[in-house]
Amino acid sequence: MTNSQFDSQNMGSEGSTSQSKVNGNHRNATALTQWKPEARRIPEGGPSPRSPKSVQESFEKPSTTDLTALWAALRRRWFLASFLGFTFACIAAGTTWMLMPTKYIAFSELYISSRLDNIIWEESESEKAFITYKQTSMKKVLSPDVIVAVLRRPDINSLSILAEQENPSKWIEEEMRVESAATEFIRISLASTNNREATALVNAMTEEFIEEVVENERTEKLTTKSFLEKVERDNEDKLRTRRNQLQKLTEALKTSAPETAFDRQRMQLQLLSDTMREHTRVKFDLMRHQAQLASRESKTENGEELDIPEAVIEYRVSENAEIQQLEARKKALEKLIEKTEGAVKADSPVLLQQRRDLETITAELKAAQDAYRPVVIEAIKADKQLMSKASNESLKTAIEFLTKQEKILAEDIKTQEANTSSYGIETYQLESIKQQIAQQEDVAKKIAEELQRLDIKLTQPSRISTHRKAEVPSEPEMRQKYMMTAFAGFGVLSLIVGGIVWLESAARRISTAKEITSGLQMPIMGSLPLMPNWLVQGRTPRRNGRSAVWQSVWTESIDSARTMMLRDAAVESRQIVMVASAMSGEGKTTLSSHLATSLARAGRKTLLVDCDLRRPSIHKLFEMSFKPGICEVMRGEAALEDAIQLSPQENLYVLPSGHITQAVLTMLAQGDIADVFEPLRSHFDFIIVDSSPILPVTDSLLVGQQVDAVIFAIRRDVSRYGKVASAYQRLSMLGVPVLGAVVIGLDEASYGSMYGSGYGYGYGYARSYHYYHTPPEDVVDAAEDSPTAETVDS
């Protein structure tokens, strides 16, 4: 690209730059080589670099056992898994079919009666008891006794199928099958390649089991009968002893009825209770009389005065005739005064005289009472002394009588207690012995009935009988062979498919938008659809207009990412944007070339720089010269304006990579690439840098430190979660801002789920629009101007 072309494109660029700005920033070739790079700084308001620890903590590791991840792994590797699975499944099934021998199944059937056939007694058996009996019988078929009895038979011991076995007994136990053919039937079967010997062995097992069962049941019944006879004899001896004891107690109690004995015992107890109450009363009276006598004798000996109640003294004083007359006069005068008070005034002489007379009579009455009181007291004392002497004599007499009565009652109580205790024990023994005799008689009756029942059962046939003998099978049993063949085929198929799916899921390839937004916590700037093979290979589609439709779909998708980038550039002032990926083959070259083309279509003067120095491809995409490029500019072998080439798209310029040398790598490590980027800021609105993968080489990390921001290219089902996270972490550790990710090949449903109901105008809408409507001219022009092939990093 010459200076004149470079300047003319600068003068004619559209976008946010004005004509005056273009004229002021115009420089010649000499000035371009002398530009000094300014110090790189993170734009104000941009994201601050995060520490490695904060970045690592922000990643949410998705579970490798997630059903969504397994389904995505199956979707990616379904053809390989199906091909290998069905191939090896067919091999395994064929091998199993060829190696598995054809066997014949010989079987016999036994009948087990679910009813107990009793002639006299009606017995019923529960369903659970019958099932237990049946299961026990099935277990006894392969008991050691039955197997040993079978092997002792000469016709069985000489069989070739047994001669081939090291341990015939164990082989029979493992190979012989005992199953429930129906509710009352047992099937004994054996699968073998020799159908005749298998039939003979099954019949021998059936016969020996029947004999063993019949003999065991008879032996068991005889053993039970012998035991019951012994119990019957012991019970008769005990019953005889109890009856003798009952006879003795009856003679002692003179009755054999426990009710009569209990009535007599109650009467005896009542008599004893009455005697004990009388004895208690007598003892109380004796103690009371003794206390009274002791109290009176103590007062007489100590010379204590008798205590005379005041009421008695006053009563005896009031009986005196003189005192009675004075009291009568006093009451009459009080009534007269009461009448006079109602008839005259309070200060009447008559009333005053009557009150003086009342006071005189009251004083005379008091003097008479005081004079007669000592006389009354002396008289009362004399009377009490006479009465006390007579009372003491009567108390002594009563005490002697009560003492004799107490002794007699005490002796009666001892006698009655002894009689009552003996009578109660004998009565209890009588009742206990009668109950024991009744119980033993009931046991004797049941034992006799059971013995009769056993005698009848010994003559009855066994519950188990042969229903069907084994017959020599004429047709082989193929069911097991089919099952084993199918099991081998499906098992190998499941193993291979499951292994491939598990290995693929362990790779943790990104397949949903949630893994990017939630796991990596990286915003999605846009989603690009996968181009069909005919469009990638540059072929003409079968249906007319299909190429224009797909180019329009791709254009609309890349324009959505461009819109997000323009918005961020307007807010954060980011001009140089690097498109990177964790590994190769994730579509970073495709994204960078189409993003630069979209910016150019939007009127932004854009420069596309190929910094994938080790594996450049931008020049092939635009069919340009490989050099001179950025490598020649860094080495000083070419001028910057000579290395920049004009693309067919208006406003789009390309700076190829050129020929890489060790000197370029050294200069790149020293940050000399900034001397190339900084002079370009004033001549271009945007500079899109296509870088090398981040993890394989360090070139992208060195270039990333000289750009304003990075956009990640993530390819669905190709990019791995762990590697993208590692690349994202390395950029964050260097403080390189990451705008977000553009996902290639993400299905519309996954992308739309991030925004709830989706776009509303997806790829289907684009197809419908172009199939049934004439597209606008600018859409067709944009589709024709865009690259027609999708470039994928190798």
Side-chain angles (χ1 to χ4, degrees), residues 405-456:
Q405 189 176 7
E406 191 271 336
K407 290 180 179 180
I408 294 172
L409 291 174
E411 293 177 357
D412 289 345
I413 288 173
K414 290 181 180 179
T415 303
Q416 291 178 11
E417 284 180 347
N419 294 335
T420 302
S421 176
S422 175
Y423 203 84
I425 293 173
E426 292 175 350
T427 303
Y428 174 77
Q429 289 178 349
L430 176 64
E431 177 66 18
S432 176
I433 291 174
K434 291 195 72 175
Q435 290 179 357
Q436 292 176 6
I437 291 174
Q439 292 176 357
Q440 289 177 351
E441 288 177 348
D442 184 57
V443 171
K445 182 180 179 180
K446 291 181 178 179
I447 292 174
E449 291 179 355
E450 189 64 27
L451 287 173
Q452 294 178 6
R453 189 176 304 175
L454 285 174
D455 289 337
I456 296 175

Side-chain angles (χ1 to χ4, degrees), residues 451-470:
L451 287 173
Q452 294 178 6
R453 189 176 304 175
L454 285 174
D455 289 337
I456 296 175
K457 286 183 177 181
L458 286 171
T459 62
Q460 291 179 351
S462 175
R463 292 180 65 179
I464 302 178
S465 60
T466 303
H467 173 69
R468 177 180 179 181
K469 288 188 176 181

Side-chain angles (χ1 to χ4, degrees), residues 75-135:
R75 176 179 51 78
R76 291 192 295 266
R77 292 290 181 261
W78 70 269
F79 180 77
L80 176 62
S82 301
F83 177 76
L84 294 179
F86 281 110
T87 300
F88 285 98
C90 293
I91 295 175
T95 304
T96 304
W97 179 268
M98 296 297 295
L99 296 179
M100 188 173 182
T102 302
K103 293 184 178 181
Y104 297 85
I105 296 180
F107 67 92
S108 64
E109 291 183 351
L110 301 176
Y111 172 73
I112 300 180
S113 177
S114 60
R115 296 182 299 104
L116 297 175
D117 296 331
N118 297 304
I119 302 175
I120 300 176
W121 296 274
E122 293 184 358
E123 284 186 333
S124 61
E125 186 179 41
S126 63
E127 182 180 358
K128 184 177 181 180
F130 170 72
I131 292 175
T132 303
Y133 176 76
K134 181 179 178 181
Q135 291 177 348

Side-chain angles (χ1 to χ4, degrees), residues 458-745:
L458 286 171
T459 62
Q460 291 179 351
S462 175
R463 292 180 65 179
I464 302 178
S465 60
T466 303
H467 173 69
R468 177 180 179 181
K469 288 188 176 181
E471 298 177 358
V472 179
S474 58
E475 296 182 359
E477 176 62 30
M478 303 299 293
R479 180 172 175 267
Q480 186 177 8
K481 192 170 184 179
Y482 290 145
M483 290 181 61
M484 292 302 297
T485 302
F487 177 78
F490 282 109
V492 172
L493 176 63
S494 302
L495 182 63
I496 292 178
V497 172
I500 292 176
V501 170
W502 181 82
L503 291 175
E504 179 62 22
S505 64
R508 294 165 53 185
R509 302 183 190 275
I510 296 175
S511 58
T512 61
K514 184 178 180 181
E515 294 176 293
I516 303 174
T517 57
S518 299
L520 298 173
Q521 297 192 5
M522 186 186 302
I524 295 180
M525 300 178 60
S527 176
L528 305 181
L530 283 176
M531 285 296 187
N533 293 330
W534 56 265
L535 186 58
V536 175
Q537 298 172 3
R539 300 198 309 266
T540 303
R542 297 179 180 178
R543 188 177 300 176
N544 294 331
R546 194 173 182 184
S547 176
V549 171
W550 271 104
Q551 290 175 359
S552 178
V553 170
W554 183 273
T555 301
E556 292 298 329
S557 301
I558 198 66
D559 285 350
S560 65
R562 179 199 67 193
T563 303
M564 301 290 291
M565 180 178 173
L566 290 175
R567 173 61 180 170
D568 184 79
V571 176
E572 305 293 347
S573 300
R574 294 191 175 102
Q575 188 177 4
I576 304 178
V577 178
M578 183 179 75
V579 179
S581 63
M583 299 295 293
S584 61
E586 298 181 4
K588 59 177 179 55
T589 302
T590 300
L591 176 59
S592 59
S593 60
H594 284 80
L595 184 59
T597 303
S598 179
L599 289 169
R601 286 200 316 272
R604 302 301 196 274
K605 190 175 181 181
T606 307
L607 175 63
L608 177 60
V609 182
D610 190 355
C611 281
D612 191 356
L613 305 179
R614 302 174 190 263
R615 302 180 67 178
S617 58
I618 294 295
H619 66 284
K620 298 178 182 178
L621 179 63
F622 289 93
E623 298 180 354
M624 295 180 176
S625 175
F626 175 63
K627 59 181 182 179
I630 193 171
C631 292
E632 284 73 18
V633 174
M634 293 179 65
R635 291 196 301 267
E637 298 175 0
L640 185 58
E641 65 274 11
D642 295 332
I644 297 176
Q645 304 179 39
L646 179 63
S647 71
Q649 174 65 45
E650 185 181 2
N651 293 327
L652 178 61
Y653 300 85
V654 178
L655 178 58
S657 65
H659 181 69
I660 186 172
T661 59
Q662 185 61 39
V664 174
L665 296 177
T666 304
M667 297 174 68
L668 185 64
Q670 295 175 355
D672 292 348
I673 196 171
D675 297 338
V676 180
F677 286 160
E678 291 301 329
L680 299 175
R681 289 181 180 270
S682 59
H683 285 272
F684 295 96
D685 297 328
F686 286 98
I687 301 173
I688 305 299
V689 179
D690 179 30
S691 67
S692 58
I694 295 176
L695 297 181
V697 293
T698 60
D699 298 356
S700 56
L701 298 177
L702 299 174
V703 175
Q705 299 179 62
Q706 310 302 329
V707 301
D708 297 335
V710 174
I711 296 177
F712 259 93
I714 297 177
R715 189 179 181 87
R716 179 174 179 251
D717 296 340
V718 175
S719 301
R720 297 189 179 186
Y721 179 88
K723 294 188 178 297
V724 174
S726 179
Y728 186 23
Q729 183 179 2
R730 293 187 184 184
L731 290 176
S732 300
M733 292 173 65
L734 295 175
V736 179
V738 178
L739 295 180
V742 175
V743 188
I744 300 175

Side-chain angles (χ1 to χ4, degrees), residues 340-360:
T340 303
E341 287 178 348
V344 299
K345 295 181 178 180
D347 56 348
S348 173
V350 177
L351 182 60
L352 295 175
Q353 184 61 39
Q354 290 177 354
R355 290 177 175 174
R356 284 193 293 270
D357 293 342
L358 178 61
E359 293 177 356
T360 302

